[in-house]
Amino acid sequence: MLEAPVVIAVSLFYLGLLFAVAWWGDKRADQKRSLIANPTIYALSMAVYCTTWTFYGSVGRAAVSGIGFLPVYLGPTLVMALGWFLLLKMIRVVKANRITSIADFISSRYGKSHLLGGLVTIIAVLGIIPYIALQLKAVSSSVSLLLSYPEIVMPSHSATMSVAADISFYIALILAAFTIVFGTRHLDATERHEGMVAAIALESGVKLVAFLAVGVYVTYGMYDGFGDIFEHIDANPELQRLATAIPSGKGYTGWFSLIVLSAMAVLFLPRQFQVTVVENVNEAHLKRAAWLFPLYLLLINIFVLPIALGGLLHFAGQGVDADTFVLTLPMSQRHEGLTLLVFVGGLSAATGMVIVETIALSTMVCNDLVMPLLIRHKRVALEESGDLSRLLLSIRRGAIVVILLLGYLYFRLAGEAYALVAIGLISFSAVAQFAPAMIGGMYWRGGTRGGALAGLSAGFLVWAYTLLLPSFAKSGWLPDDFLTQGLLGTELLRPQQLFGLTGFDEIAHCLFWSFFRQYRRLCWRLAAAAANGGRGDAGDGVRRRAEGCRTGGRSAVAGTRESQRPAGTGRPLSRPTAGAIAFYSLCASPRRGQRGDARGGRATRAVRRIAARRCDRQRFGARDGRFGGQGGAAEHRRSDAYSRRSLAVADLQPRTRAQVARADGGHARSAGSQ
């Protein structure tokens, strides 16, 4: 019998096993024998992407929309297959600049701005809270189901019971305590947790084995294989629509938006950034992860549709929640061993996400939100303190507790109104706001701190208005008129039909307004205006940037072309000239006397690679993305020439490193004599 003592004992034993693995991994790291210096472990740790959303929620999604669960996994697969160079560049930038979090990454690109880092931290925390609520909902539901074994009784709503009687509250406290012991036992300057990565890799294996086990049991134990299940579906007209392979109507828009969101989530979720970028030991591990991680996603989704269809056939008319089919199907057959294995698999999916996510968020809260405020307002006290490690650990532990309690609060207020997948999509939409600031920051030199602040703020407000507030309205905490009539009774301000836009689901609607139109355009215009110093309205963004380069003398492009145009002229550049300067900035064409211009100054592939991989020092650490601040044209010429020569060694290989070093020394002496 699966009684409460058995469930509690198994849960504690499993958590203890994870802690033992983490302790062993940290010990091996202290001995300089890294346990995670293995590409397979690295790829398995990336599978922290698969949470209870995957373990329970994908089946619930498939029971409603058939193969509509697939876009969430197609996005990461496309990123690993086609966008691996983004991850590689992020890994290199993080190692070169000792970056420890996604907030640190964005703020470093724009002049180590504490304001920008704090804004990114706030967006991340508020955006991830629904995701943490998802884990609490899944774990509490599975525990409640097991405690009612052998009967299958759907859990009651948490909002109808007191906090003291709510099992979700105690689960949140247990997870907070376990995360504190797990990830904040000591400080590391690099913010790397090798023991945690080893434990996450183990959890990825456990949840995969558990899901495959229940999938094989349902498909070949309860039925006679895939063919038998689909034959039953063909005989049931109400379920035939779930076998439709191609979406219709709004399905195309929904699929596209989910693929885009999941692709950005696998890059910008704090936990994915932590395990994929910060915890990376060797960038060569990315080669195996590029095919092993998509293979993992394929394996864990093979039996999603059979389990969903089998559950619909088996529990027809019984009112069983489709999100619980993974657990209730073996329960209905009195298969106690498999039921317990499934419970442990779901617990693995939840604890892995909560541990890594809260550790990453607590680091951001400590480094980018709390400590800057303490340094500003209590500078004397901090200067007198010799060792701040205890203070830092206390801040992080407190942040972990607060974040999990906020997740529990959201679960009580709004979590009951949504399925598991719908809750996760709210968080995906939140972290999607980081994409322009991060990707644009890596590849666009014209981005500024003001543009990044404005873009992030606008995207966050749109997300909160179109997704977060409607979740409270659907739960009864806001009036229904807010959804049907809009803010202040203005129909154009209806949060899920903003400015009269219809025909989209709520996720595609939020993505459209926060990213593809307002966010992108606002970032571009404000960045161009900031680069121009806020003067005038001379044409489009490219022209403004060219005028800013000419008048300010602060751009490396303007510095290298200073001899061709007198400084200080007041005439505005024409559109062709502005476009030419922007083109030269993109291609970084070394026209005069530099080795590597063997192709006559044409924008060849090699030169484009040089432009794409321009020295990260010019993107990270210089205020507002401009290298050297107020150093003048001579400093920009020296810096730009050094960047081109260094990258020419890596891409074109025209000279040896020793020759480049001698050339750089001679160039510095000649520039100094000027």
Side-chain angles (χ1 to χ4, degrees), residues 209-238:
V209 170
F211 197 88
L212 290 177
V214 70
V216 170
Y217 176 75
V218 172
T219 305
Y220 297 100
M222 297 178 62
Y223 297 92
D224 292 332
F226 289 88
D228 183 37
I229 293 177
F230 283 99
E231 286 180 1
H232 284 81
I233 294 299
D234 289 337
N236 191 332
E238 296 181 358

Side-chain angles (χ1 to χ4, degrees), residues 145-146 149-152 327-335 339:
L145 283 170
L146 285 183
Y149 183 85
E151 301 295 330
I152 298 178
L327 188 63
T328 53
L329 281 172
M331 284 179 61
S332 66
Q333 302 299 308
R334 303 294 192 270
H335 203 308
T339 300

Side-chain angles (χ1 to χ4, degrees), residues 65 112 593 597:
S65 60
K112 288 288 184 179
D597 192 24

